[in-house]
């Protein structure tokens, strides 16, 4: 398969998710060495999970398939430009490249507007819309200290 075929598969997943599953209009596929290793559709409302975006679902499927938390050497084809959460997950998964169909502006036009999140990210914590407070910092450091000296940690 070629790049257009992979993108068409992501788009088809998005369309099927609307017409068959009743979910959001988003699909994604992850490809390694010319083969699909993970697919996902938006499952937010059906699973009652706000993190079940197509890209995250595809990342989880590809990681299971490959037996690794790293998707280095893989590419993602998403029917829409990834939102901030999905973009972060893509970076954490170490995907090599992102291809997308619809833009975030296209998504906003049908009610999927992530611009408020993009505006929140660079703000100082004290100015963000959701109040955030640091607590028990000294106690929380115990877990970090344990990790730092652990002989069994797997770095990622």
């Amino acid at each position: 398969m070629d790049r257009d075929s992979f993108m068409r598969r992501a788009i088809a997943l998005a369309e099927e998710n609307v017409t068959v599953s009743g979910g959001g209009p988003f699909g994604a596929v992850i490809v390694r060495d010319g083969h699909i290793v993970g697919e996902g559709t938006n499952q937010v409302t059906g699973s009652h999970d706000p993190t079940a975006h197509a890209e995250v679902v595809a990342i989880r499927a590809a990681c299971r398939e490959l037996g690794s938390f790293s998707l280095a050497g893989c590419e993602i084809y998403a029917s829409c430009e990834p939102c901030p959460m999905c973009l972060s997950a893509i970076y954490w998964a170490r995907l090599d490249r992102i291809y997308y169909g619809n833009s975030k502006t296209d998504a906003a036009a049908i009610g999927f507007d992530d611009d408020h999140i993009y505006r929140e990210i660079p703000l100082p914590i004290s100015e963000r819309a959701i109040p955030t407070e640091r607590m028990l910092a000294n106690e929380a450091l115990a877990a970090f200290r344990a990790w730092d000296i652990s002989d069994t940690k797997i770095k990622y």
Side-chain angles (χ1 to χ4, degrees), residues 70-152:
S70 174
L71 296 178
C74 296
E75 304 169 332
I76 188 166
Y77 294 78
S79 65
C80 186
E81 183 177 357
C83 74
M85 177 187 69
C86 293
L87 184 60
S88 296
I90 289 166
Y91 274 91
W92 277 112
R94 296 177 179 82
L95 286 151
D96 290 357
R97 181 172 221 117
I98 302 166
Y99 299 98
Y100 67 93
N102 294 312
S103 71
K104 64 182 180 181
T105 304
D106 298 329
I110 62 165
F112 294 94
D113 190 356
D114 300 321
D115 192 54
H116 67 285
I117 300 171
Y118 283 107
R119 288 191 315 267
E120 286 283 302
I121 291 170
L123 292 176
I125 289 174
S126 62
E127 295 178 24
R128 292 182 184 162
I130 297 175
T132 305
E133 181 180 344
R134 188 173 184 188
M135 294 179 55
L136 303 175
N138 289 333
E139 292 178 38
L141 281 173
F144 279 17
R145 288 184 191 110
W147 169 262
D148 193 38
I149 64 172
S150 174
D151 293 331
T152 61

Side-chain angles (χ1 to χ4, degrees), residues 7-75:
M7 182 56 74
R8 285 190 179 101
R9 177 62 183 152
I11 293 167
L13 287 168
E15 290 175 357
E16 290 170 19
N17 203 46
V18 173
T19 59
V20 177
S21 303
F26 303 96
V29 298
I30 295 179
V31 175
R32 174 177 265 170
D33 298 328
H35 301 285
I36 295 174
V37 295
E39 294 186 341
T41 58
N42 180 282
Q43 299 175 12
V44 170
T45 57
S47 67
H48 308 289
D49 178 355
T51 69
H53 290 200
E55 297 91 335
V56 173
V57 172
I59 287 169
R60 291 172 181 165
C63 287
R64 278 191 306 273
E65 174 69 22
L66 298 174
S68 175
F69 59 81
S70 174
L71 296 178
C74 296
E75 304 169 332

